[in-house]
Amino acid sequence: MSTFNFKPSLLPMAIALSFSSPLIAAEKTALNEVVVSATRTEQNIKDVSSSISVVSDDTIDNQLSTDPQQALQYTPGVNVEGQGRFGIADYNIRGMNEGRIKVMVDGVEQPTPYNPGASEQRHNPGTIEVDTLSAIEINKGPSSTLYGSDALGGAVLFKTKNPDDILITDGNENRFGIKSTYTSSDETFKNTLTWAMRQNDLETLLMVTYADGQETETYHSGPGALGESRGQADPADKQIGNLLGKAYYQVNDNHRVGLTVEYYQRSYDEQELHSEGSSINMGPMGSLVYSDNYNEDDVNRLRVGLEHEWQMNTTIADSLHWSVNYQASDSEYKNYDTTTGFMSSGQRMRYRDASDDLIKFDAQFDKLIDLSTHFHQLTYGISYSNDKFELDNTDYKYDLGTVTPGNTGLPDARLEKWGIFAQDQAFFLDESLIITAGVRYDGFKAKPKEDEGFTTNYSENKEDAVTGKVGAVYHLNENLSTFAQISQGFKAPSVQELYYVYNTGAVYEPNPDLDAEKSLAYELGFRGQHALGSFELTGFYNDYDDFIDQANIGTEVSTGKEIYTNQNISKAEIYGVEFSARLNLDEALSAPEGLYSKFSIAYAEGKNKDTGDHIDSVAPLNGVVGLGYDSLNNTYGGLLSVSMTASKDDWSTEGVADVAGYTLVDLTGYYRPINDLTLRAGLFNAFDKKYWEYSSMNMDEHSSGTNRDFYSQPGRNWGVSLDYQF
């Protein structure tokens, strides 16, 4: 997003915050953070009428985070799902996942998760390198009024660094950096090189990352076995590479242009030992048995973006920011195995490739109207995206000497989305009362097409929606505020939800007539800030219409296979409460300067209102307690974090085993021997607790014979990093 001016009284505050001390000031003035996700313009977080969580680059570094899952692990109400071979699969906010969360990098949407159910292919929005990020912003409520379809349950905005995030003066300069990190849980060594430059009106940034490691360990007992009894993670080698390049040129006082190039690549070579000897029931004709499983994966994402900021200073707008981005995301999997049994082919390789080619255009106008008693910040604009989704599946049967199209189970499709939006943020009573109202119209069209791997012709699916929101913040005094918001969201059905077909082991029938999911959310909260600390208490209730869920619709008479399809549930609900606080112990208890404590807790419940069944994606009760210290001038410091998660026992299907609760203790610290050098170290799961994340223990894993240890999380592990900026 571009930088736009607010009323003059707010501008100095934003500037001061952007240059505040990265550790003490950022922590002690958490409610003074400037965010963009809530209103699409820079905004003080205490003036936002909804719950927003921000994870800064300093927090990412101090937690020794190597991916978004680790960066967001202490954020209440947020869970990042997936790990291992396929990496990060999805983002879960207050129980909403499976593509219902809009994931964006610098405003460019990431692919909707695609999971055909089998183990040979995924297409996930996980191609993000955290070393390049300046912040992660989490918009926890429906955000379709701001960002359109897929923001039914919220939005995750990844903001990559700009040159001025690295440069430390206002003049011409060059600045370099090297950051090296080692993590024991996956034996990964990662290096990130940085070069930022300003020469007169030109600013540039180049960041290059390379990581080499192995599989993420599980907490297992006994030797590594073959097949379903295996508890160890499958052995693997992984390499990650990332390049981020940016250039900005100030043409004159009114025009600034920018170019961004970003490329992410991840390779993962794995021996799939836990599948050795596995079989699939082919009905009366017997079973197919798999052995010698080996996978070679390559996932990459390329983004090229052009942007232009124009200080128009006209009647219709003070400024215009427009951008056009091209993004190509590709997930290529080569799956080798030997099959025996019914219609076996011996040695084979199943090639599976899923790709998204996205072109996206955005234009946003901002206008400040300053009246005698109050002022309005108007934001309006348009967006358009064209996404070509393709599957290229080929089966190579070496013993038979054949090469044939692989069944995709899904047609190629072209998806178009367009939207127009407007928002007014009005400041009254000397900025004590802020009212925000917005409205947006969106259209969506999915047009499938036949190919060699999918020969059935289905009709296109069209949807449109009008969403709105209204919210208010009232500052009771300098230290206490209350806020409330009502917002709508919608999600057009994905290509997989509309058209997926499968008939091996079970039967999945497509439903091209699905309606878009819709949500109406209510949020009420209080915020406080004082020299003693800060807090935020939020209650929420989200009501969903036409919720898309998988349903069992019978049994195939000839084979006995269960038949499933996607259907719209008429009603579903999720409600809960979140609380987070920081207490500055030096101020409250006359403790040593720099000593503080942190606390957060998140509770949510979700139900299918038609059946009364629980919604499985809703996380169990969890909380975090922390005790930290930052020395004077930030020379050294540390944080002790205790994370507590309750058991997960409210599954929608009877007979599913509970996932036990757990408590984890993490300890991180840093030391700056000189101003530009920072050493960091962390000890995680310090008491070597054996535990499982509820999101990794899905229904199939519960019901299969696979050893539960295979889905366990790492035991005691550690990490170190060296960060030198000069």
Side-chain angles (χ1 to χ4, degrees):
M1 299 297 175
S2 59
T3 301
F4 301 103
N5 293 331
F6 276 138
K7 189 175 181 179
S9 62
L10 299 179
L11 184 59
M13 174 196 66
I15 295 174
L17 288 170
S18 66
F19 289 98
S20 60
S21 174
L23 289 172
I24 293 181
E27 291 284 357
K28 288 192 175 183
T29 60
L31 292 180
N32 282 334
E33 289 177 296
V34 175
V35 298
V36 299
S37 61
T39 60
R40 295 183 66 108
T41 59
E42 288 194 352
Q43 177 80 175
N44 191 309
I45 198 170
K46 69 181 182 180
D47 292 334
V48 171
S49 59
S50 61
S51 181
I52 305 292
S53 291
V54 182
V55 179
S56 68
D57 55 347
D58 291 310
T59 300
I60 293 172
D61 290 340
N62 289 333
Q63 292 178 180
L64 281 85
S65 303
T66 58
D67 59 37
Q69 187 176 58
Q70 296 173 359
L72 295 169
Q73 62 182 319
Y74 302 124
T75 304
V78 179
N79 299 89
V80 183
E81 302 173 352
Q83 59 183 38
R85 175 188 175 191
F86 296 111
I88 290 172
D90 206 357
Y91 295 85
N92 185 318
I93 299 176
R94 294 176 175 172
M96 282 290 95
N97 63 353
E98 296 183 350
R100 299 180 178 97
I101 304 299
K102 192 88 165 185
V103 181
M104 292 176 284
V105 178
D106 294 339
V108 180
E109 61 194 74
Q110 300 306 291
T112 300
Y114 167 57
N115 179 358
S119 61
E120 63 263 21
Q121 186 175 25
R122 299 288 189 274
H123 193 50
N124 294 328
T127 56
I128 297 165
E129 173 52 55
V130 295
D131 279 0
T132 66
L133 301 178
S134 62
I136 307 172
E137 292 189 17
I138 310 294
N139 198 332
K140 293 184 178 180
S143 305
S144 293
T145 303
L146 296 171
Y147 302 111
S149 177
D150 302 340
L152 180 88
V156 181
L157 282 73
F158 294 94
K159 300 165 59 181
T160 61
K161 293 179 179 178
N162 288 324
D164 55 10
D165 292 313
I166 307 298
L167 302 171
I168 60 176
T169 72
D170 294 329
N172 294 340
E173 67 169 315
N174 286 272
R175 191 158 177 83
F176 303 89
I178 178 171
K179 178 185 175 185
S180 298
T181 305
Y182 177 80
T183 51
S184 71
S185 62
D186 55 2
E187 299 184 30
T188 294
F189 186 60
K190 180 167 73 169
N191 291 289
T192 296
L193 304 177
T194 303
W195 172 39
M197 182 270 291
R198 181 187 295 114
Q199 183 64 41
N200 299 324
D201 294 322
L202 176 66
E203 293 182 349
T204 61
L205 172 67
L206 179 64
M207 301 186 72
V208 179
T209 300
Y210 178 75
D212 189 289
Q214 299 182 14
E215 71 280 1
T216 300
E217 65 184 22
T218 60
Y219 196 121
H220 61 89
S221 57
L226 299 180
E228 293 181 343
S229 62
R230 182 177 179 83
Q232 286 181 285
D234 291 330
D237 294 316
K238 67 178 178 182
Q239 290 82 38
I240 296 174
N242 193 85
L243 181 146
L244 175 67
K246 292 189 176 185
Y248 294 96
Y249 183 69
Q250 191 73 39
V251 180
N252 51 45
D253 291 342
N254 295 325
H255 295 275
R256 186 172 187 254
V257 295
L259 174 67
T260 298
V261 177
E262 183 183 25
Y263 180 73
Y264 177 99
Q265 189 272 337
R266 179 181 188 261
S267 63
Y268 198 88
D269 296 343
E270 175 194 64
Q271 290 181 290
E272 197 175 318
L273 301 183
H274 84 281
S275 296
E276 187 71 18
S278 63
S279 62
I280 185 168
N281 183 7
M282 305 299 293
M285 295 173 287
S287 298
L288 194 64
V289 181
Y290 300 90
S291 61
D292 304 325
N293 299 276
Y294 185 80
N295 306 304
E296 294 179 348
D297 306 340
D298 185 80
V299 177
N300 59 76
R301 177 175 63 91
L302 170 67
R303 173 170 64 101
V304 179
L306 177 67
E307 61 182 295
H308 174 212
E309 291 187 49
W310 178 12
Q311 300 302 316
M312 303 174 66
N313 299 315
T314 65
T315 302
I316 63 170
D318 297 329
S319 57
L320 163 66
H321 177 264
W322 66 267
S323 64
V324 59
N325 283 270
Y326 169 76
Q327 180 174 266
S329 302
D330 188 80
S331 303
E332 179 189 79
Y333 300 95
K334 297 178 180 178
N335 307 271
Y336 300 87
D337 64 25
T338 300
T339 60
T340 57
F342 169 72
M343 295 182 65
S344 62
S345 61
Q347 293 182 329
R348 66 175 181 172
M349 189 269 282
R350 291 174 292 175
Y351 177 86
R352 301 292 182 261
D353 183 85
S355 64
D356 276 275
D357 285 348
L358 174 73
I359 297 175
K360 189 171 191 292
F361 173 80
D362 289 285
Q364 177 172 315
F365 297 85
D366 281 74
K367 178 67 178 180
L368 180 67
I369 301 176
D370 197 349
L371 304 176
S372 59
T373 58
H374 61 282
F375 67 97
H376 297 259
Q377 179 69 39
L378 302 179
T379 303
Y380 60 97
I382 59 174
S383 65
Y384 172 80
S385 66
N386 188 306
D387 185 3
K388 184 172 68 173
F389 175 77
E390 291 185 335
L391 293 173
D392 179 11
N393 292 0
T394 306
D395 292 338
Y396 297 82
K397 298 179 180 180
Y398 298 122
D399 289 359
L400 300 178
T402 61
V403 179
T404 57
N407 180 27
T408 63
L410 200 67
D412 295 344
R414 186 175 294 275
L415 298 89
E416 287 186 89
K417 300 176 184 178
W418 54 92
I420 181 170
F421 62 90
Q423 177 182 264
D424 178 18
Q425 189 171 36
F427 294 76
F428 300 96
L429 305 177
D430 293 329
E431 303 178 25
S432 294
L433 175 63
I434 302 103
I435 297 177
T436 304
V439 65
R440 180 180 178 116
Y441 169 79
D442 281 283
F444 171 91
K445 181 169 66 175
K447 186 175 182 179
K449 69 174 184 177
E450 304 172 56
D451 60 13
E452 291 181 319
F454 195 95
T455 58
T456 305
N457 182 25
Y458 287 103
S459 60
E460 64 182 32
N461 180 276
K462 294 182 179 180
E463 294 284 346
D464 63 359
V466 176
T467 54
K469 74 170 184 178
V470 59
V473 178
Y474 183 65
H475 298 297
L476 302 170
N477 52 48
E478 292 182 356
N479 305 120
L480 185 63
S481 303
T482 183
F483 62 92
Q485 181 168 281
I486 302 174
S487 57
Q488 294 177 303
F490 93 102
K491 174 190 173 294
S494 68
V495 175
Q496 182 176 356
E497 290 169 333
L498 291 166
Y499 305 115
Y500 182 62
V501 177
Y502 180 75
N503 60 5
T504 303
V507 177
Y508 287 83
E509 295 185 350
N511 185 358
D513 298 321
L514 287 171
D515 295 325
E517 298 178 322
K518 306 170 186 67
S519 64
L520 178 62
Y522 306 86
E523 194 169 14
L524 176 66
F526 296 90
R527 297 188 182 107
Q529 182 181 19
H530 190 270
L532 298 178
S534 60
F535 77 91
E536 180 173 297
L537 173 65
T538 306
F540 59 91
Y541 178 84
N542 299 338
D543 194 54
Y544 300 96
D545 292 328
D546 296 325
F547 198 74
I548 297 174
D549 198 10
Q550 178 180 287
N552 186 322
I553 59 174
T555 303
E556 197 171 60
V557 176
S558 60
T559 64
K561 298 177 183 178
E562 299 292 322
I563 304 175
Y564 298 90
T565 192
N566 287 315
Q567 294 181 345
N568 288 109
I569 299 172
S570 61
K571 291 288 184 180
E573 64 179 3
I574 298 178
Y575 55 89
V577 63
E578 295 169 0
F579 178 74
S580 60
R582 173 191 167 99
L583 179 64
N584 299 321
L585 299 175
D586 48 2
E587 296 283 350
L589 303 176
S590 299
E593 184 176 356
L595 191 67
Y596 64 92
S597 63
K598 302 175 71 173
F599 175 77
S600 67
I601 189 168
Y603 165 78
E605 289 283 351
K607 287 187 178 182
N608 178 331
K609 294 169 70 174
D610 287 348
T611 65
D613 292 336
H614 291 279
I615 296 177
D616 293 336
S617 57
V618 175
L621 175 70
N622 63 88
V624 180
V625 178
L627 179 65
Y629 174 75
D630 293 314
S631 71
L632 189 64
N633 298 323
N634 304 321
T635 302
Y636 58 90
L639 178 64
L640 173 68
S641 298
V642 181
S643 305
M644 296 161 285
T645 301
S647 63
K648 176 72 172 179
D649 55 9
D650 51 358
W651 300 97
S652 61
T653 303
E654 294 183 4
V656 175
D658 297 348
V659 179
Y662 54 88
T663 298
L664 303 179
V665 177
D666 300 331
L667 179 63
T668 57
Y670 68 90
Y671 174 56
R672 289 190 175 88
I674 58 176
N675 188 47
D676 293 328
L677 176 65
T678 305
L679 307 176
R680 297 181 176 91
L683 179 65
F684 307 100
N685 193 2
F687 291 99
D688 203 26
K689 175 69 176 178
K690 186 175 185 177
Y691 71 103
W692 293 261
E693 295 281 3
Y694 85 97
S695 60
S696 65
M697 300 297 291
N698 63 36
M699 304 304 293
D700 292 336
E701 291 151 4
H702 272 302
S703 59
S704 73
T706 303
N707 186 350
R708 285 171 62 93
D709 284 3
F710 187 77
Y711 304 105
S712 62
Q713 301 298 309
R716 183 185 298 113
N717 62 96
W718 54 274
V720 294
S721 75
L722 180 151
D723 192 353
Y724 184 41
Q725 306 290 325
F726 58 96

